[in-house]
Structures are given as C-alpha cells and as structure tokens.
C-alpha cells in the first residue's frame, strides 16, 4: 500500500478543495450577496437543500484535519533537522494570514485562511508538548466550540432568517471591496468559531498522523474512522431535517465526524484500486498538490462568473425555475472544478508547486535559517 499511502493525502486534499467549493458556489450564486448566509438560503427546492447539506462543513473539516497532518509532518521534519520549533513555522503562519486577508478583501467574504493562520500559531506551541497537554488543549477548544455553537443555535431558535435585515450588496467590484473593509465584524464573525474548531481538528490530525493513519497496518484505525463517518452521516440527515436553526450544529459539530469518516474511507478505497490511475484520481491529486492556489482560484472564477460586475450569472438565474437554476449552479461547479484540476495538472507537469505554494516557499527561503537550538523530541 506504500504508493497508495503516499497518494492518499493529495487525493484527500483535492477532494476537500472540490467539496469546499460546493458550499462556496451557492454563496456566489445567491443574488442577495453573501448576506444570504445569515438570512438563510431561500427560493430553492429539496435538491438544493440536499446538496448544501452534503457539503456543509464536511469538506472544510476534512481540509482542516489534513492541515493538522501537514503541521505534524513539518514538526517532525524540524526535529529531525535539529531546528527550533515553531521557529520558522510562525513565518509560514504570517504569510498564510496575509494571503487570507488579501483573499477576504479582494475576493470572498468567508475566507478560512485567516482562521487557519491564527489557529496554527496556537497549535504550533502545542504540537511538541506531551500527549496530556495536547488532549487538554483539544478538550478546552472543543468545549469553547460547543458552547459557542450551542449559544448561537439557542439565540436563533424559532427564526426563519426572513426577518434578518440584509445589508445592501454593491454591484461593482470596488464597492464590494469597500463593503468588506467597512463590515469586518459582520463578515469575519465566523472566525470566532473557525479558530477553536480548527485547534481541535489540527490536534486531531496531528494525533492521527502519529497513529500511522496512512500506514498499511492501520486498517483497524481507518475502519473505526469510517464508523464515525457513518454516525456523522446519520446525524447530518437529522440536522438537515431540523432546518436552518441547526445549521451551525451541522457545520461545526456533525461535519467533523463525516470528515473523519472520509479520512478513513479514501485510503481504504485507494488500497483496493488496481490498474492505471484514472482521470478522477489524477485530477484530485493535482488539486491536492496545488490546494492553496485552487482554493483561491476557484473563488476568483466564481466571483467573475456570478458577480454583477462580471458575467452576472447570479442575477440572470434569479428568475429561473428551481430545477434549471440548480442544474446551472451544479454545472458551474463541475466546470470550475474540472477546469482547475486540468490547469493544475498542466502546471505541475512544468513546475514542482502551484503558484501560491511557490510564492510561500520563495518567501520562506528568503528568511534566515532557523536556529538549531531548542528542538523537542516528539
């Protein structure tokens, strides 16, 4: 399983990028603008609800777990080389935060990179500590997440979202940039939930990596994760039937269970595949190896396609019958994901990293080498 073990993280990351865009594309496609997230999506049909439920938080949680696995690998690399930890990693977090800030201001209100950067700084100080410290920190962060989600759910109980006043959304790109700058408390409020939940999932990903998740002998661990995912899928059905008030419960408490299931399922499926690699697997691998570039790039393309300052598809689809509108949105998702996978594959045949990944690497290489003092043994 060695080849599949090495390929599984890239395939999982590509699946997470493609799945995260399922959620984002509905935000871009709503003619009311990003405020529709707070008011609730309306005017669709049952398939819209099902598609959003399938994607809501699941692939973002998967991406977060993989980020934690990546952090663990970077920590091990630093220890092997005798480098101080977190040391240089803090510079990486600063670059990630800057990229997220630019992504938020210029492209998309609900960027997650800023939250990842903040959480990664917190976890960087924990990943080299004892198991007791890491478990205690995860429990505290988990408790904060549950309290915040529970409080927000109780506060919105009985509300349909129709009574939520939506701020007017500008039609021009410059106006939208100005709106993001003017309303950071509105559009960045989700950071309050992203950061503690990311701390939990980063630490979980680190722990799973130490447990040998992708090793050939970790079949029992992966099967337990699959069982957790099945339980998460059942709970997803229940929260979806519960309606809008359960949105945050599904996104932050149930979705990680489904993501853990995917983390166990995909390596098992890859281990049973034989023969030449197919186009789907090649495409997901390319997406996974250029995850940062594709995450930002897909949102840029969606903003151009749906924005009033671009092709204006969001407004054009507003009066279309629900089945046709759903088909159009799903079609855009397919085209954008397939196009980004093809572009990523073309790029990787000529370069080692995606454009944004290469930029991060170049910025880090421009820094002084880290000190070799103070490394901790895992």
């Amino acid at each position: 399983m060695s080849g599949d073990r090495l390929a599984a993280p890239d395939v999982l990351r590509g699946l997470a990028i493609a799945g995260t865009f399922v959620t984002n594309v509905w935000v871009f496609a709503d003619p009311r603008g990003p405020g529709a997230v707070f008011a609730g999506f309306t005017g669709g049909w049952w398939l819209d609800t099902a598609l959003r439920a399938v994607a809501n938080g699941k692939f973002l949680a998967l991406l977060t777990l993989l980020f934690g696995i990546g952090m663990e690998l970077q920590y091990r690399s630093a220890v092997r080389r005798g480098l101080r930890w977190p040391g240089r990693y803090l510079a990486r977090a600063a670059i990630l935060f800057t990229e997220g800030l630019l992504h938020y201001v210029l492209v998309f209100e609900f960027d997650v990179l800023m939250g990842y950067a903040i959480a990664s700084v917190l976890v960087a100080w924990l990943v080299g500590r004892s198991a007791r410290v890491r478990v205690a920190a995860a429990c505290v962060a988990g408790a904060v997440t549950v309290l915040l989600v529970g409080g927000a759910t109780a506060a919105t109980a009985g509300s349909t979202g129709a009574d939520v006043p939506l701020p007017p959304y500008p039609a021009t790109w410059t106006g939208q940039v100005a709106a993001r700058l003017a309303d950071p408390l509105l559009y960045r409020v989700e950071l309050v939930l992203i950061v503690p939940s990311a701390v939990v999932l980063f630490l979980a990903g680190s722990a799973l990596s130490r447990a040998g998740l992708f090793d050939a002998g970790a079949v029992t661990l992966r099967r337990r994760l699959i069982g957790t995912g099945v339980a998460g899928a059942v709970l997803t059905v229940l929260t979806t039937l519960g309606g809008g008030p359960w949105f945050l419960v599904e996104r932050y408490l149930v979705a990680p269970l489904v993501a853990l299931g995917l983390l166990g399922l995909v390596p098992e499926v890859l281990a049973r595949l034989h023969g030449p690699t197919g186009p789907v697997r090649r495409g997901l691998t390319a997406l996974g190896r250029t995850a940062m570039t594709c995450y930002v790039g897909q949102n840029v393309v969606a903003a151009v396609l749906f924005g009033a300052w671009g092709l204006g598809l969001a407004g054009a689809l507003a009066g279309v019958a629900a089945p046709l509108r759903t088909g159009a949105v799903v079609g855009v998702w397919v085209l954008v994901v397939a196009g980004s996978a093809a572009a990523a594959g073309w790029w990787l045949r000529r370069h080692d990293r995606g454009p944004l990944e290469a930029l991060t690497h170049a910025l880090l290489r421009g820094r002084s080498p880290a000190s070799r003092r103070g490394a901790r043994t895992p």
Side-chain angles (χ1 to χ4, degrees), residues 127-374:
V127 73
R129 302 300 189 263
S130 67
R132 180 178 297 179
V133 171
R134 287 183 276 114
V135 170
C139 290
V140 171
V144 170
T145 303
V146 171
L147 288 174
L148 290 173
V149 170
T153 301
T156 57
S159 173
T160 62
D163 54 345
V164 176
L166 294 181
Y169 196 58
T172 64
W173 175 74
T174 54
Q176 292 172 9
V177 169
R180 296 180 196 116
L181 291 173
D183 293 316
L185 294 180
L186 173 65
Y187 294 125
R188 295 285 70 199
V189 67
E190 194 182 16
L191 287 177
V192 176
L193 289 170
I194 289 177
V195 172
S197 65
V199 168
V200 176
L201 295 179
F202 285 174
L203 290 171
S206 172
L208 289 170
S209 178
R210 296 188 183 199
L213 172 65
F214 299 118
D215 293 344
V219 175
T220 301
L221 172 60
R222 289 192 291 270
R223 289 179 178 174
R224 288 175 179 172
L225 292 177
I226 293 172
T228 301
V230 171
V234 173
L235 290 174
T236 295
V237 173
L238 296 178
T239 53
T240 301
L241 293 175
W246 293 92
F247 177 84
L248 290 178
V249 173
E250 180 183 327
R251 183 172 178 82
Y252 286 101
L253 303 184
V254 175
L257 304 180
V258 178
L260 287 169
L262 292 173
L263 205 57
L265 177 63
V266 171
E268 286 296 299
V269 172
L270 292 178
R272 288 164 172 74
L273 294 178
H274 303 285
T277 303
V280 173
R281 181 170 167 180
R282 289 197 302 270
L284 290 176
T285 300
L287 287 175
R289 290 182 58 193
T290 57
M292 171 79 74
T293 299
C294 289
Y295 167 70
V296 174
Q298 288 172 355
N299 290 337
V300 170
V301 172
V304 173
L305 291 177
F306 289 104
W309 54 269
L311 297 184
L313 284 181
L317 294 173
V320 176
L324 294 178
R325 180 177 180 273
T326 301
V329 174
V330 172
V332 169
W333 174 80
V334 171
L335 290 175
V336 172
V337 170
S340 58
W346 176 88
W347 181 272
L348 290 173
R349 288 192 291 271
R350 293 158 177 81
H351 306 278
D352 294 333
R353 299 176 175 85
L356 288 182
E357 290 79 4
L359 175 61
T360 300
H361 183 70
L363 291 173
L364 288 172
R365 287 188 63 184
R367 293 179 57 85
S368 301
S371 169
R372 292 183 176 273
R373 299 190 304 274

Side-chain angles (χ1 to χ4, degrees), residues 47-109:
L47 185 57
D48 293 16
T49 302
L51 292 173
R52 286 194 289 265
V54 167
N56 182 25
K58 282 73 172 179
F59 298 100
L60 181 60
L62 177 61
L63 190 64
T64 311
L65 286 165
L66 291 165
F67 193 104
I69 291 173
M71 180 182 290
E72 173 65 24
L73 296 178
Q74 292 176 66
Y75 167 68
R76 292 183 193 175
S77 176
V79 171
R80 284 196 305 268
R81 297 163 61 192
L83 303 178
R84 179 192 299 172
W85 180 268
R88 194 172 180 175
Y89 189 85
L90 299 180
R92 182 183 295 273
I95 294 171
L96 180 64
F97 184 87
T98 303
E99 290 172 333
L101 179 61
L102 291 173
H103 181 229
Y104 163 72
V105 173
L106 301 178
V107 183
F108 189 44
E109 285 75 5

